Amino acid sequence: MKIALRNLLKNKVYSLINILGLAIGLATSLLIVLYVLNEWSYDRFNEHADQIYRVVQTMESESRTEEQASTPFLLAPTIDAEFPNLVASSVRFFDMQEPNHTFLNREKKISFREENFYFIDSTFFKIFSGTLIRGNPAEALKNPLSLVITAELARKFFGDEDPMGQSLSYKGILPMTVTGIMKPWPKQSHMGIEALASFTSLNEIYKNSPNYDESWLWNPVWTYVLLKSPDQADALRTQLSTLEDKYYRAAPGWPSDESIKMDLQKLTDIYLTSHLDQEMRPNSSIMYLYILLIVAAFVLVIACINFMNLSTARSLERSREVGMRKVFGGYKRQLFYQFVGESVLVAFLAIIIGVMLVWLALPFFNDLTNKELVFSLTQSIYTIPALLILTVLVGIFSGLYPALFLSSFSPIEVLKGNTVGGKRGNLFRKALVTFQFTLSVILIIGTAVIYLQLDFIQTKNLGFDKDHVLILPTKQNLIAWEFETFKEKALKNAQVKSVTGTGKIPGSETQAYYRYVPAGNGENQDELNQALHVTYDAIETLGLKVLAGRSFSKEYST
């Protein structure tokens, strides 16, 4: 230990380069691993995570295939009734098929639009690990027009007042009573939750359409099941196929050429592996994590090779030390342990500096990744042991070749003044340098490709003018109902050039499919086209280029 410290202090520049090189490599790899572990942790906070599955379906015909994350209203109660031996409970999520929802506090005369709001079955707290600060989990979502909100949302609408029992108006017309206050829903979830309303509230919303939930053709809800045992997933998956003919294909109006296939997705797999139509939110990809882990390994290997090369480059300075040690009875094994020990010491110093760099870089890294990652030596019982194991592995990997190289010197040749490394040693060092530069070039090329791809996404001409267009999300609210009045008033503003309405935001999701064929043409009846419903002035407002024909006109009703 004394000799190792003396060598580090004697060669300060060499030691600084070695330690900082390893520290930066370790810090970079640790940041990547923190991100990957965060991505892998999605939905694992649920107590019964290994027993919760989402039911999904695939509809297929000759003209198209739709892989859907959502299912019909009737599916969950049907599963409960058909498979009580496999399923402990089920729960449905429904968001009115809208991205935003308006809530109004009439007393305070304030309203906000909330994104993460669902109508949900009362079994939610039985299946998912949501925690109520106030209210009874078994009763909070039982009665119609019951509302559970997060503590943050409660402060937003009620301030310091007690929100329990108070009323919020959904869309300003349907009063709901706050029956529960929930802790913030973890961000490591494929679903975001800020407010939940009882599923039975839908009967009030659709009171003029009492059969709204009896169709097997409409699939607007997400269905989750809690299995009685984690090993029953395959059994339920097999049993689900019996529902396809019994309910789906037997439903009135089911297309004769369309088939249905049902499947299960494990809760903890959804975020990284599912990319179906109608996902709750955009998911990530497990492929990204594998790529990032490869990048982390590359960075660490480059840092270790750098250490190897610098150590072997100093072999001349230490060759006489090796020769004298061997003359005075030092064994090769002892010398090997000495040099590996020095490498582990360097790795230990590097890991200390690397951890400090991680703490310093974490706020900027969180801004970059839009995450809230934390790193603490006490956040897990495995953190310190893992860092110590990493230190030893990096030290041995970095110091193995230099130790073998230095301890193999012949004392006679060294004391004669001949530096022995041999052609084989030189070849190996050249191979290390080549490999190091190859990895560096791969990372640089990968970075350039990603940068160019992001630049392409941001600058690609999408076929419409997005730079001067503002979007008001007005689906099913007052502006939509009084659109022409709103349009007339908006156009009185000198800064407003044109106003139009679209059924969906262009590019935000898969558009609806429709059949458009020339009149009298019986061919291509099954060919489907994507369509977007618009009001007048859509061509002008979105700056679309008309290749032939004209824009929409009120003079031509057809």
Side-chain angles (χ1 to χ4, degrees):
M1 183 64 70
K2 286 172 64 178
I3 293 170
L5 289 171
R6 186 183 65 188
N7 277 321
L8 289 176
L9 294 172
K10 182 181 177 182
N11 304 282
K12 294 182 179 61
V13 175
Y14 159 80
S15 301
L16 189 65
I17 293 172
N18 252 346
I19 294 171
L20 281 181
L22 272 180
I24 293 170
L26 285 164
T28 304
S29 300
L30 282 174
L31 285 171
I32 293 174
V33 168
L34 279 177
Y35 179 86
V36 170
L37 289 176
N38 178 270
E39 293 284 281
W40 247 313
S41 70
Y42 268 62
D43 295 304
R44 298 182 189 276
F45 63 88
N46 289 286
E47 182 182 353
H48 305 296
D50 60 336
Q51 294 172 244
I52 302 173
Y53 285 78
R54 183 173 72 178
V55 187
V56 297
Q57 62 183 41
T58 300
M59 300 177 70
E60 190 170 3
S61 66
E62 293 182 2
S63 57
R64 76 182 190 275
T65 299
E66 293 184 26
E67 297 178 320
Q68 301 162 333
S70 55
T71 55
F73 281 99
L74 289 168
L75 184 60
T78 301
I79 288 176
D80 288 338
E82 293 277 346
F83 314 117
N85 58 320
L86 298 174
V87 177
S89 189
S90 66
V91 62
R92 294 169 293 180
F93 291 73
F94 180 54
D95 67 349
M96 297 293 292
Q97 298 184 304
E98 297 179 37
N100 298 284
H101 307 265
T102 303
F103 285 92
L104 169 67
N105 184 332
R106 291 191 177 278
E107 290 186 7
K108 290 182 175 289
K109 296 181 180 179
I110 57 172
S111 66
F112 295 99
R113 295 184 67 83
E114 307 301 334
E115 292 183 3
N116 302 310
F117 167 70
Y118 300 96
F119 292 90
I120 201 160
D121 286 311
S122 60
T123 52
F124 172 79
F125 291 104
K126 180 180 178 181
I127 296 176
F128 292 93
S129 297
T131 304
L132 284 185
I133 303 170
R134 303 277 303 279
N136 184 346
E139 302 290 332
L141 294 168
K142 199 170 185 179
N143 299 319
L145 303 180
S146 298
L147 185 67
V148 172
I149 58 178
T150 61
E152 182 181 354
L153 213 59
R155 284 191 295 271
K156 191 172 174 180
F157 280 103
F158 301 105
D160 295 330
E161 295 180 15
D162 183 5
M164 292 295 289
Q166 297 214 46
S167 177
L168 285 178
S169 292
Y170 178 58
K171 295 187 176 180
I173 54 175
L174 191 66
M176 292 184 172
T177 303
V178 178
T179 56
I181 307 299
M182 188 170 63
K183 283 185 177 180
W185 186 253
K187 294 191 175 182
Q188 287 76 38
S189 174
H190 76 282
M191 62 180 79
I193 295 177
E194 290 178 294
L196 300 171
S198 53
F199 210 81
T200 51
S201 305
L202 293 173
N203 295 330
E204 296 290 329
I205 295 175
Y206 290 110
K207 58 186 176 184
N208 295 325
S209 304
N211 301 323
Y212 72 94
D213 60 348
E214 297 181 7
S215 172
W216 286 92
L217 294 171
W218 187 31
N219 57 303
V221 305
W222 294 277
T223 302
Y224 294 81
V225 294
L226 174 67
L227 302 184
K228 290 189 173 180
S229 173
D231 58 2
Q232 291 181 322
D234 289 337
L236 179 59
R237 191 176 280 111
T238 302
Q239 292 295 318
L240 284 175
S241 61
T242 62
L243 305 182
E244 295 164 9
D245 286 325
K246 188 174 181 180
Y247 294 100
Y248 280 91
R249 294 191 184 92
W254 186 268
S256 58
D257 66 333
E258 199 153 75
S259 64
I260 183 80
K261 178 69 176 175
M262 305 178 70
D263 202 358
L264 294 175
Q265 290 180 326
K266 192 174 182 180
L267 177 68
T268 52
D269 292 342
I270 293 173
Y271 179 69
L272 291 177
T273 62
S274 182
H275 306 284
L276 306 179
D277 294 337
Q278 290 93 45
E279 292 283 358
M280 282 185 165
R281 296 195 298 184
N283 290 326
S284 186
S285 170
I286 197 167
M287 184 59 65
Y288 297 157
L289 303 192
Y290 291 146
I291 292 171
L292 285 172
L293 287 175
I294 290 171
V295 169
F298 277 8
V299 170
L300 200 53
V301 167
I302 288 171
C304 290
I305 291 176
N306 202 57
F307 180 91
M308 290 183 194
N309 289 332
L310 287 171
S311 297
T312 51
R314 291 186 65 247
S315 59
L316 179 61
E317 295 181 27
R318 305 202 66 177
S319 60
R320 290 185 179 85
E321 176 191 341
V322 172
M324 290 303 296
R325 282 173 172 273
K326 285 191 172 183
V327 166
F328 284 104
Y331 291 103
K332 182 178 180 179
R333 183 179 67 254
Q334 293 172 320
L335 294 170
F336 174 80
Y337 290 151
Q338 168 71 32
F339 295 127
V340 168
E342 290 183 13
S343 298
V344 172
L345 175 62
V346 170
F348 180 73
L349 296 174
I351 204 81
I352 293 174
I353 296 174
V355 167
M356 293 178 181
L357 290 175
V358 168
W359 283 329
L360 290 172
L362 207 50
F364 306 101
F365 190 68
N366 282 334
D367 288 340
L368 177 69
T369 59
N370 197 27
K371 295 282 186 181
E372 294 180 1
L373 304 177
V374 294
F375 179 68
S376 169
L377 296 177
T378 58
Q379 70 186 70
S380 168
I381 59 172
Y382 303 108
T383 304
I384 292 177
L387 289 175
L388 291 175
I389 292 171
L390 180 63
T391 300
V392 173
L393 291 177
V394 168
I396 292 175
F397 178 71
S398 303
L400 191 61
Y401 174 70
L404 288 171
F405 180 73
L406 288 168
S407 62
S408 65
F409 283 173
S410 167
I412 298 174
E413 294 296 326
V414 167
L415 294 176
K416 284 182 178 180
N418 299 328
T419 310
V420 253
K423 292 183 179 179
R424 186 178 301 175
N426 290 331
L427 185 64
F428 184 74
R429 288 197 299 278
K430 290 177 181 178
L432 282 179
V433 173
T434 304
F435 182 62
Q436 182 185 28
F437 274 88
T438 302
L439 292 184
S440 301
V441 170
I442 290 172
L443 290 178
I444 292 168
I445 292 173
T447 303
V449 169
I450 292 170
Y451 172 79
L452 292 173
Q453 184 71 6
L454 291 172
D455 182 67
F456 170 78
I457 290 171
Q458 293 169 346
T459 59
K460 168 70 177 173
N461 184 354
L462 301 180
F464 62 92
D465 179 13
K466 60 184 174 63
D467 294 327
H468 300 94
V469 178
L470 297 180
I471 294 177
L472 296 178
T474 61
K475 192 173 182 180
Q476 295 188 17
N477 70 9
L478 292 174
I479 294 179
W481 299 333
E482 302 290 342
F483 179 74
E484 290 301 325
T485 303
F486 168 77
K487 179 177 179 179
E488 182 181 340
K489 290 185 177 181
L491 288 172
K492 290 180 180 179
N493 188 313
Q495 296 185 17
V496 177
K497 184 178 178 182
S498 181
V499 177
T500 192
T502 63
K504 295 182 179 180
I505 298 173
S508 65
E509 54 187 306
T510 303
Q511 308 303 320
Y513 288 93
Y514 296 93
R515 288 181 171 88
Y516 293 102
V517 294
N521 186 350
E523 298 179 3
N524 299 324
Q525 289 292 335
D526 292 327
E527 186 173 329
L528 292 173
N529 309 98
Q530 292 191 47
L532 178 67
H533 285 142
V534 299
T535 66
Y536 292 102
D537 299 323
I539 303 294
E540 294 78 5
T541 306
L542 294 176
L544 302 177
K545 182 180 180 182
V546 178
L547 298 179
R550 57 169 174 77
S551 177
F552 293 107
S553 171
K554 292 183 179 180
E555 296 178 9
Y556 302 93
S557 61
T558 59

